[in-house]
């Protein structure tokens, strides 16, 4: 090892090894390259829900051994989408148990005949437990939704003259006290009121439990010796940008690696060799958030080329944003400058598609974020699609990346079994999202019962593990507990607190908001001496419902409630409040209850993305805050719409 690499290893080794040791195998986003091919399996899949009493008929009859149509009728089901709202069957909309998907994929002939090629099946999201077969052969299982999993299926598709493969996926959306999110099955034993064997899924979170294949299923190839993982961290010394990299190669111990860093014009600005190193970029263009710099979201391209003594080579390109993140007692710093979160909470939710990934909807949302002047959002309450984070990298939208730890309220959800699964989920989340410059903080939970005695050990362990996985980002969880009772708050870097003054209590009394909110902030800061984000606040509003004086559920009440919050935000952001995230960006679907009129209506946009009156209040505020920030940082042009670069005038 050269002296340069040796000194580099001393500096980077503990950091990069924390990732390498905790996570077995990489999860690079599939891409076409000179050495890789990609085939998406979006479209119609055969589908069947197992309505048998025990939901196990599919396993008992081994539906995976032959085409699904041979064991009974099937439906056409679009992928990606949730299955719940696609048909007119009420019992399918609320179905709990196993559903079965099947698709026959035609493979290029070279995929099945080239022994130097790996063929990988990747499922980007399956809610929540998935079992996968290829040509009737079991290949993998995965617990938990929202995050990808994959298997090498080369041996199954390179064994004969066939150029097709049959992919069968069984998915179970049942939640237990030990899943993320947790839930429980409640059996109704009174046969005078319920049919025999009747049960419901009980949940403690306020969004509909959509299920299915919510994101793309893909096949992709690599050489048999291939780039398995890349980890990048960045720093700044004076005007020199630092890009630290660590590369994992599988399949052969004898290989060479070449690394090049290209700017947005395609010019090589730094290069290196080997699996570990540091690239220095004099006069680096930093990655800045939207509205914080006249050239936000600058991305370099890290090109990695792997070669062996034989004909095998692999090539992968990773976008890289050079930026730093730090937290003080009262500030959140990006590139050494104070950053104020003025943004939203979101959901992956829309009509018909449920949580299914949809490019037109995603681009509409990003255009609305830019129109609004929002610079950030939290992935409430689960990891969003990787394409969402890629757009955040490109457009400078800062992300608080949250795992599916929502509804952790039962005592048994704080036990060792739950904790072990929670740790695994954080490993999967960090492995997937570690290289995104837009991700500036991890959130390990939302509104848990953090005043329960087991919460102290649970969150101390969980947060310590997450920091060991990624020492470069702060860690938080979102609380609605009392400031003097929350046992997890001592371990977070930033206090994120949810409160709904004059909504879930003191109904209609807008006059108490300012006093209660001011007391909330002062008590939290006095107790913990950490910066605070108002991570949720808001009120339901029915589009077109108007009342003056303001009454609950009217657009006027939603506006007035926000304005009362904003008066206190403006006082406290001069001290230690570092952000405000409205609940919610758009209306979304929930379970049916007397409190929900076809879903949660706290959105500033409707579910169809039409603006309510509150959207204009928030837009005026966010642009005003951005203009104030401009006085302290670089000039910020006013943005009209999105493109490969924002259009400005």
């Amino acid at each position: 090892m050269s002296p340069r690499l040796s000194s580099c290893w001393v500096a980077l080794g503990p950091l990069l090894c924390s990732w390498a040791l905790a996570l077995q195998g990489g999860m690079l986003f599939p891409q076409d390259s000179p050495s890789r091919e990609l085939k998406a399996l979006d479209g119609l899949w055969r589908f069947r829900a197992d309505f048998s009493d025990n939901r196990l008929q599919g396993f008992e009859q081994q539906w995976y051994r032959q085409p699904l149509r041979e064991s009974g009728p099937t439906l056409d089901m679009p992928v990606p989408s949730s299955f719940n709202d696609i048909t007119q069957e009420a019992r399918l909309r609320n179905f709990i148990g196993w559903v079965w998907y099947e698709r026959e994929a035609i493979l290029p002939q070279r995929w099945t005949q080239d022994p130097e090629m790996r063929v990988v099946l990747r499922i980007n999201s399956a809610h929540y437990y998935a079992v996968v077969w290829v040509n009737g052969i079991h290949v993998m299982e995965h617990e938990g939704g929202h995050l990808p999993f994959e298997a090498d299926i080369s041996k199954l598709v390179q064994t004969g003259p066939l150029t097709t493969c049959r992919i069968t996926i069984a998915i179970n959306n049942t939640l237990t006290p030990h899943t993320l999110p947790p839930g429980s099955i409640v059996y109704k034993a009174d046969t005078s009121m319920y049919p025999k064997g009747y049960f419901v899924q009980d949940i403690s979170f306020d969004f509909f439990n959509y299920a299915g294949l919510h994101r793309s299923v893909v096949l992709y190839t690599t050489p048999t010796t291939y780039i398995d993982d890349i980890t990048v961290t960045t720093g700044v010394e004076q005007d020199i940008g630092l890009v630290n990299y660590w590369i994992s190669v599988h399949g052969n111990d004898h290989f060479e690696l070449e690394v090049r860093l290209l700017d947005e014009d395609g010019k090589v600005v730094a290069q290196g060799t080997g699996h570990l190193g540091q690239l220095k970029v004099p006069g680096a263009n930093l990655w800045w958030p939207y509205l914080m710099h006249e050239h936000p979201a600058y991305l370099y391209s890290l090109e990695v080329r792997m070669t062996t003594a034989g004909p095998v080579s692999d090539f992968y390109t990773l976008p890289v944003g050079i930026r730093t993140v730090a937290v003080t007692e009262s500030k959140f710093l990006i590139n050494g400058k104070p950053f104020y979160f003025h943004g939203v909470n979101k959901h992956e939710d829309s009509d018909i598609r449920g949580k299914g990934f949809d490019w037109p909807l995603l681009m509409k949302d990003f255009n609305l974020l830019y129109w609004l002047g929002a610079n950030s959002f939290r992935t409430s309450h689960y990891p969003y699609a990787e394409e969402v984070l890629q757009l955040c990298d490109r457009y400078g939208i800062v992300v608080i990346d949250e795992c599916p730890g929502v509804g952790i309220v039962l005592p048994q959800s704080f036990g060792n079994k739950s904790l072990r699964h929670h740790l695994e989920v954080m490993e999967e989340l960090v492995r997937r999202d570690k290289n995104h410059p837009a991700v500036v903080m991890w959130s390990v939970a939302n509104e848990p019962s953090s005043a329960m005695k087991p919460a102290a050990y649970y969150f101390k362990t969980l947060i310590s593990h997450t920091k060991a996985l990624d020492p470069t980002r702060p860690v938080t969880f979102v609380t609605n507990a009392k400031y003097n009772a929350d046992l997890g708050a001592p371990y977070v870097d930033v206090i994120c607190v949810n409160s709904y003054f004059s909504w879930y209590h003191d109904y209609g009394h807008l006059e108490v908001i300012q006093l209660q909110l001011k007391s909330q902030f002062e008590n939290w800061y006095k107790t913990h001496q950490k910066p605070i984000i108002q991570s949720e606040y808001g009120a339901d509003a029915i589009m077109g419902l108007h009342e003056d004086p303001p009454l609950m559920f009217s657009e006027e009440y939603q506006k007035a409630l926000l304005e009362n919050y904003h008066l206190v935000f403006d006082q406290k952001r001069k001290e230690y409040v570092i952000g405000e995230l409205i609940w919610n960006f758009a209306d979304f679907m929930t379970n049916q209850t007397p409190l929900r009129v076809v879903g949660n209506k706290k959105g500033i946009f409707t579910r169809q993305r039409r603006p309510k009156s509150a959207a204009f209040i928030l837009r005026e505020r966010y642009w005003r805050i951005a203009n104030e920030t401009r006085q302290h940082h670089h000039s910020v042009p006013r943005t009209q719409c999105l493109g490969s670069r924002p259009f400005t005038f």
Side-chain angles (χ1 to χ4, degrees):
M1 182 179 292
S2 70
R4 183 179 66 85
L5 284 180
S6 179
S7 61
C8 181
W9 176 252
V10 170
L12 305 180
L15 168 63
L16 298 176
C17 273
S18 65
W19 272 314
L21 294 177
L23 306 172
Q24 300 301 314
M27 197 59 65
L28 293 173
F29 189 76
Q31 63 178 224
D32 284 307
S33 80
S35 59
R36 298 177 176 225
E37 297 180 66
L38 176 65
K39 180 181 179 68
L41 301 181
D42 294 357
L44 295 180
W45 289 53
R46 296 189 183 94
F47 174 90
R48 181 186 303 142
D50 187 343
F51 286 106
S52 62
D53 290 342
N54 64 1
R55 302 295 198 259
L56 294 175
Q57 187 179 46
F59 290 94
E60 293 167 350
Q61 297 182 358
Q62 300 181 337
W63 289 351
Y64 53 86
R65 287 197 173 276
Q66 62 278 327
L68 198 57
R69 65 181 181 274
E70 295 183 9
S71 55
T74 61
L75 301 174
D76 285 334
M77 186 61 64
V79 173
S81 77
S82 303
F83 64 74
N84 307 79
D85 290 342
I86 299 299
T87 76
Q88 296 304 106
E89 290 192 52
R91 66 174 186 164
L92 184 58
R93 184 177 191 275
N94 298 293
F95 180 79
I96 302 296
W98 289 99
V99 297
W100 293 70
Y101 286 81
E102 182 192 83
R103 169 74 182 264
E104 288 193 2
I106 299 175
L107 306 180
Q109 195 172 50
R110 60 188 174 279
W111 289 23
T112 64
Q113 296 182 355
D114 186 353
E116 297 298 323
M117 180 178 289
R118 291 172 69 242
V119 181
V120 181
L121 170 64
R122 178 182 173 113
I123 298 167
N124 284 319
S125 176
H127 283 49
Y128 284 93
Y129 195 95
V131 185
V132 184
W133 298 264
V134 172
N135 295 333
I137 305 299
H138 176 271
V139 295
M140 59 179 162
E141 299 184 20
H142 184 260
E143 181 178 1
H146 314 289
L147 292 166
F149 54 103
E150 63 185 31
D152 184 340
I153 63 169
S154 306
K155 293 181 179 179
L156 298 176
V157 300
Q158 295 175 345
T159 56
L162 294 178
T163 58
T164 64
C165 67
R166 179 169 49 86
I167 300 167
T168 308
I169 308 173
I171 303 173
N172 194 325
N173 63 345
T174 304
L175 299 176
T176 75
H178 308 298
T179 58
L180 283 184
S184 56
I185 296 296
V186 178
Y187 285 90
K188 306 290 188 177
D190 187 347
T191 55
S192 68
M193 296 185 66
Y194 303 97
K196 184 179 179 181
Y198 189 84
F199 67 89
V200 295
Q201 173 81 75
D202 188 26
I203 57 176
S204 297
F205 52 85
D206 188 32
F207 55 90
F208 191 74
N209 187 31
Y210 281 113
L213 291 172
H214 288 161
R215 300 170 193 159
S216 293
V217 178
V218 301
L219 292 166
Y220 73 92
T221 67
T222 73
T224 51
T225 300
Y226 61 98
I227 300 164
D228 176 65
D229 198 14
I230 304 170
T231 298
V232 168
T233 64
T234 63
V236 180
E237 290 183 357
Q238 297 178 344
D239 70 336
I240 299 176
L242 306 177
V243 178
N244 310 309
Y245 65 86
W246 179 82
I247 302 165
S248 170
V249 173
H250 282 188
N252 196 325
D253 294 332
H254 304 288
F255 58 85
E256 293 183 356
L257 285 167
E258 298 178 7
V259 179
R260 302 195 308 167
L261 191 70
L262 282 65
D263 64 16
E264 289 189 344
D265 296 323
K267 178 184 175 182
V268 177
V269 296
Q271 52 191 330
T273 59
H275 76 282
L276 171 74
Q278 183 180 82
L279 305 178
K280 295 185 177 182
V281 187
N285 293 296
L286 302 186
W287 188 95
W288 289 96
Y290 173 52
L291 298 177
M292 199 173 174
H293 193 271
E294 59 185 353
H295 298 298
Y298 193 96
L299 291 176
Y300 293 88
S301 296
L302 186 75
E303 291 186 352
V304 180
R305 182 183 298 275
M306 185 276 305
T307 58
T308 65
V312 176
S313 63
D314 194 17
F315 186 89
Y316 194 90
T317 302
L318 182 74
V320 171
I322 300 175
R323 62 103 180 95
T324 63
V325 172
V327 176
T328 72
E329 284 190 357
S330 60
K331 303 294 182 190
F332 195 99
L333 305 176
I334 296 181
N335 300 329
K337 303 291 185 181
F339 176 77
Y340 187 78
F341 295 79
H342 47 89
V344 302
N345 293 276
K346 294 181 89 276
H347 266 300
E348 291 187 317
D349 175 275
S350 65
D351 290 331
I352 302 174
R353 304 160 189 80
K355 291 191 180 302
F357 180 81
D358 182 69
W359 272 113
L361 179 73
L362 180 59
M363 291 312 305
K364 179 65 174 178
D365 283 0
F366 269 75
N367 276 289
L368 289 174
L369 289 172
Y370 260 42
W371 173 86
L372 195 64
N375 65 4
S376 52
F377 66 78
R378 173 170 63 119
T379 67
S380 45
H381 299 296
Y382 39 80
Y384 291 179
E386 291 166 270
E387 293 88 343
V388 175
L389 298 183
Q390 291 166 359
L391 285 182
C392 290
D393 292 341
R394 290 177 60 189
Y395 297 131
I397 302 297
V398 167
V399 176
I400 301 173
D401 204 350
E402 189 163 88
C403 83
V406 56
I408 305 175
V409 299
L410 300 174
Q412 54 266 50
S413 294
F414 286 95
N416 287 337
K417 183 176 180 180
S418 296
L419 178 57
R420 183 165 53 251
H421 178 55
H422 206 151
L423 296 174
E424 292 169 351
V425 170
M426 289 310 302
E427 290 186 9
E428 291 187 21
L429 177 59
V430 172
R431 174 176 62 179
R432 193 195 74 165
D433 295 346
K434 61 189 176 184
N435 293 322
H436 289 285
V439 175
V440 300
M441 184 158 58
W442 306 110
S443 172
V444 299
N446 178 77
E447 295 187 351
S449 295
S450 50
M452 284 186 179
K453 187 176 180 180
Y457 174 78
Y458 190 95
F459 285 106
K460 179 181 180 181
T461 304
L462 183 60
I463 291 170
S464 296
H465 184 67
T466 305
K467 288 185 175 183
L469 293 170
D470 178 10
T472 71
R473 291 179 176 91
V475 181
T476 189
F477 71 87
V478 176
T479 184
N480 63 351
K482 297 293 185 182
Y483 72 94
N484 56 357
D486 194 311
L487 299 178
Y491 307 107
V492 303
D493 297 300
V494 174
I495 300 293
C496 290
V497 60
N498 296 347
S499 54
Y500 290 90
F501 302 125
S502 301
W503 188 256
Y504 289 123
H505 55 82
D506 298 310
Y507 318 126
H509 291 284
L510 296 167
E511 66 275 9
V512 304
I513 290 176
Q514 293 183 46
L515 174 61
Q516 293 180 1
L517 183 58
K518 184 178 178 182
S519 297
Q520 168 197 278
F521 285 145
E522 291 175 351
N523 287 330
W524 273 101
Y525 192 73
K526 182 179 179 181
T527 303
H528 296 285
Q529 296 290 303
K530 297 176 181 180
I532 302 171
I533 296 175
Q534 183 72 42
S535 42
E536 288 184 25
Y537 72 104
D540 286 74
I542 307 299
M543 180 78 160
L545 182 61
H546 298 285
E547 294 288 345
D548 186 35
L551 299 180
M552 293 180 72
F553 292 97
S554 69
E555 291 193 50
E556 286 72 21
Y557 191 90
Q558 188 184 42
K559 285 172 54 182
L561 184 145
L562 266 58
E563 289 169 337
N564 274 278
Y565 269 83
H566 295 164
L567 289 172
V568 180
F569 292 164
D570 283 339
Q571 297 173 28
K572 295 302 181 182
R573 66 188 175 93
K574 298 173 184 177
E575 303 175 44
Y576 46 75
V577 170
I578 61 168
E580 57 193 74
L581 303 177
I582 187 71
W583 188 266
N584 192 283
F585 173 75
D587 296 343
F588 57 91
M589 188 54 64
T590 66
N591 274 357
Q592 299 182 69
T593 76
L595 296 176
R596 296 287 176 249
V597 184
V598 194
N600 189 306
K601 294 295 191 289
K602 290 188 180 66
I604 58 171
F605 299 99
T606 67
R607 203 181 190 206
Q608 296 75 34
R609 277 45 178 182
R610 300 186 184 99
K612 303 177 190 178
S613 300
F616 297 93
I617 295 292
L618 214 59
R619 181 175 191 256
E620 186 279 331
R621 173 173 178 77
Y622 284 177
W623 280 103
R624 175 169 57 82
I625 292 173
N627 288 333
E628 293 173 4
T629 304
R630 177 166 38 185
Q631 298 173 9
H632 303 289
H633 303 310
H634 304 277
S635 62
V636 180
R638 186 156 59 96
T639 302
Q640 186 177 30
C641 62
L642 295 179
S644 60
R645 275 279 149 212
F647 288 34
T648 58
F649 58 90

